[in-house]
Each structure stands twice: as structure tokens, then as C-alpha cells.
Amino acid sequence: MAKLVFFSLGSRGDVQPPIALALSLKQQGYDCTIIASPCYGCFIESYGIKSAPAGVDAEKFIAEYDPTAPDALEKAINYYKVAAIDCCNLALQIEPDLVLFHKSAFIAPFFCQNYQIQCVEYCFAPWILTGCLPNLLTFEDNEVDWDDKETNFGQSFTNLHTAWSQNIGIVNITKDELNLDVTIPTIVDDLYKRKNKIPEIFAWSPSVLPFPDDLISDVYTSCGGYWFLEETDDWTPPLNLVEYIEGGVKPIYIGFGSWAQHMDNVVLFNMLVQVIRNTNQRFVVGCRKPEEFPQQHDSIFFIESCPHSWLFPKMKAVIVHAGAGSLSQGLKAGVPTFAIP
């Protein structure tokens, strides 16, 4: 039986889709292990997929991480380095036939090159060199023609290379810690992956974003849609949430993603109250530590965690931070979905 290992660094949104893929592959006879933060081990294993812990508790790190702190960069580098080294060492113990990795696992293709392990990259949004789509980090500019392929490709290259330049230092540190006998490219890593024909799977719906037609067909491919994971039956919604949803007109959901924990709760609360006054809408707000909000309001329900597959179909609309998981669940629910990065 072929052994497959997933490098799933990041928050829950980076872990959940690979579980869906691993379940499908397991049904076809593959032995799958997902390497992720230890806080997601029980979640992964609840679906009958093997897990292996890498790095520190991601949820705790995210909750405590302050991007404005003087040592923020040092903490982020150490967080990634520890997780990446753990991933590679665990993979060596498992001896996989194939490594599947998310784009955030920068070290993965170089680790696999060093040990001659086949690898496949997957991504949930078009973080790629292409002229067919605007790059994810490109902000709207009314003076730029985003339908122009040369413009898109130029912006794509610039943004990807800038991002790679910011990460190459930590990749080299991790490479040295692992004693990998490889050369880390100084230019955007997408060119390295193309040169070495590392396959990449697009895990998004072509109905939302068309498959770019300027990519190498034997390297890039599409799975034809998002990787949805059906929730297990052991989750029960809080009674007060059910009563709130059923107690009036359908609410609108607002979510800020895992990394938005350092918002000013007073400012956010006052902003929501003003929106309620102007629109007479009701809201469910996904946030960390809802108990820390200064006040309560009859038209606002703060919730820390809730399966989107259960919640979104009950909403009038959803407003999300543009994460692939929450965005795709909003579309699947068939409700108006607004993405605000």
C-alpha cells in the first residue's frame, strides 16, 4: 500500500481540505498521514485519518501572537522553522512514496528533492505565475487593465518574487538545520517548481475562477472544485445560538479569519451597532474570545467557533475575509457571499 504524507502547516483552514482529499485517497487504498499542528490531531483522527504532530499548538500561537510586538518576526520565523523541521523528520520516519504539501510548506519541495521523494503541491487560490488572473496580492487600480495578460503576469511575478524574497531566509535556515544538500533558488520559487515539473493541484471551483490557459498542462491540473469536508455528527449547536437564529429575521454572518485576533473590540462593536442602526439587520459575528467584547446587543451574536456547513445555510448572507474555506462554504450554502480580504 502506497504511503502518502501531507504537510499541512497553518491554521484549521489549511488542515480541513486535505482531510477531505485524504478520505478520498484512503477509499482508493492509499495509506494517508496528515502532519499538522498538535491541536488538530483529534480533529484529523475523528475522520479515521492518521495524524502526526508538528510544531507548537497553532491555535495558541495565533491567539497569543502580536504582529506589532518587537519580537514578532523572530517568533514567526521560529514557529515556522520548528513546524517545518518536525514535518520533514516525521516524513523520514514514515518513509512516504509521495508528499503532498500546501504552498505555506516552503521547505517541502527541497526536502523531497534531497531525499528523492515524489511530491505534489496543492493550493486553494491562484497563488501562481499566470497572466490569465490578477494575482492575489494585487489591489484594485482603476487605471490598470486587469484583462491584459502581460499586466497580470508582470504583477504576478512581482508579487510572488517579493513574497519569496521575504521567506527565502527562513527556508535557508531550515535547510541548514535539516542538512539538506540542495540549492535554494533566489528568484520566485514557482520557476523552480516549473523547471522540476512538480505537479500542482488547484482546489477551487472553475465556476468561481477559470483554469488559467497559459500554464504547463503536465504540471498544473484542477480537481474540478473545492475539497468539502462533511462535518461529523458529534457537534451540537449551542441552544442560545439556535434560539437567536430562530428568534427573528435571518442574520448576516461576519467572519474575520483565524489571524484577526488583534482587532479593537470596542471599535468593532461600535461599528456593528452603527450598521444595525443604518440597516436594521441582525448579525452573527465569528471572532476569538467573544467574552471580551465590551457589551452585548440584541441584534449581535458573537461566536468563537461553529461549523460553517451548519451555520451558513441559516444565514441571509455571509461576509468573510476571503479565506478559501469560508468563501467556498458560503457559495455551497447558496447564500449571497461577500469576500473582503
Side-chain angles (χ1 to χ4, degrees), residues 201-220:
I201 305 171
F202 296 150
W204 70 76
S205 170
S207 298
V208 178
L209 285 173
F211 187 88
D213 61 13
D214 60 349
L215 301 178
I216 306 170
S217 60
D218 61 344
V219 175
Y220 298 89

Side-chain angles (χ1 to χ4, degrees), residues 19 96-97 107 128 213 231 233 239 255 270-271 296:
I19 298 175
D97 299 288
I107 197 64
I128 49 174
D213 61 13
E231 300 290 342
D233 296 330
L239 181 59
N270 291 335
M271 187 185 303
Q296 298 299 314

Side-chain angles (χ1 to χ4, degrees), residues 55-241:
V56 300
D57 185 318
E59 295 287 332
K60 182 179 179 181
F61 176 82
I62 293 170
E64 297 176 351
Y65 181 69
D66 181 359
T68 64
D71 61 347
L73 180 60
E74 180 183 352
K75 286 185 175 180
I77 289 174
N78 188 64
Y79 169 79
Y80 173 82
K81 183 184 75 172
V82 171
I85 290 173
D86 282 354
C87 275
C88 295
N89 287 332
L90 286 165
L92 288 177
Q93 296 175 27
I94 297 170
E95 298 182 340
D97 299 288
L98 178 70
V99 168
L100 299 97
F101 65 96
H102 182 253
K103 279 188 172 292
S104 60
F106 303 111
I107 197 64
F110 310 110
F111 164 79
C112 291
Q113 176 190 349
N114 186 84
Y115 288 100
Q116 298 182 335
I117 303 171
Q118 289 185 307
C119 62
V120 173
E121 183 178 39
Y122 57 86
C123 62
F124 309 130
W127 185 247
I128 49 174
L129 276 174
T130 178
C132 294
L133 300 168
N135 185 259
L136 289 177
L137 293 184
T138 302
F139 294 97
E140 183 178 358
D141 187 334
N142 293 329
E143 297 181 1
V144 175
D145 180 9
W146 297 120
D147 291 325
D148 182 73
K149 287 191 174 184
E150 290 186 5
T151 299
N152 282 339
F153 192 90
Q155 287 288 340
S156 176
F157 181 89
T158 299
N159 291 339
L160 286 171
H161 181 59
T162 300
W164 178 243
S165 299
Q166 294 171 343
N167 287 293
I168 190 172
I170 186 175
V171 174
N172 272 307
I173 291 172
T174 307
K175 180 205 78 167
D176 292 341
E177 291 266 0
L178 291 166
N179 295 314
L180 302 182
D181 186 19
V182 295
T183 300
I184 306 299
T186 56
I187 203 166
V188 57
D189 61 333
D190 255 39
L191 295 178
Y192 164 86
K193 295 167 188 171
R194 290 189 181 196
K195 178 182 177 182
N196 290 275
K197 292 194 173 182
I198 296 174
E200 181 162 4
I201 305 171
F202 296 150
W204 70 76
S205 170
S207 298
V208 178
L209 285 173
F211 187 88
D213 61 13
D214 60 349
L215 301 178
I216 306 170
S217 60
D218 61 344
V219 175
Y220 298 89
T221 188
S222 171
C223 274
Y226 295 103
W227 299 346
F228 290 114
L229 180 66
E230 296 299 326
E231 300 290 342
T232 55
D233 296 330
D234 59 356
W235 186 82
T236 302
L239 181 59
N240 57 346
L241 173 60

Side-chain angles (χ1 to χ4, degrees), residues 5 11 24 40 46 83 113 134 140 146 191 216 221 265 305 313 333:
V5 164
S11 62
S24 178
Y40 302 122
S46 70
Q113 176 190 349
E140 183 178 358
W146 297 120
L191 295 178
I216 306 170
T221 188
N265 289 346
S305 178

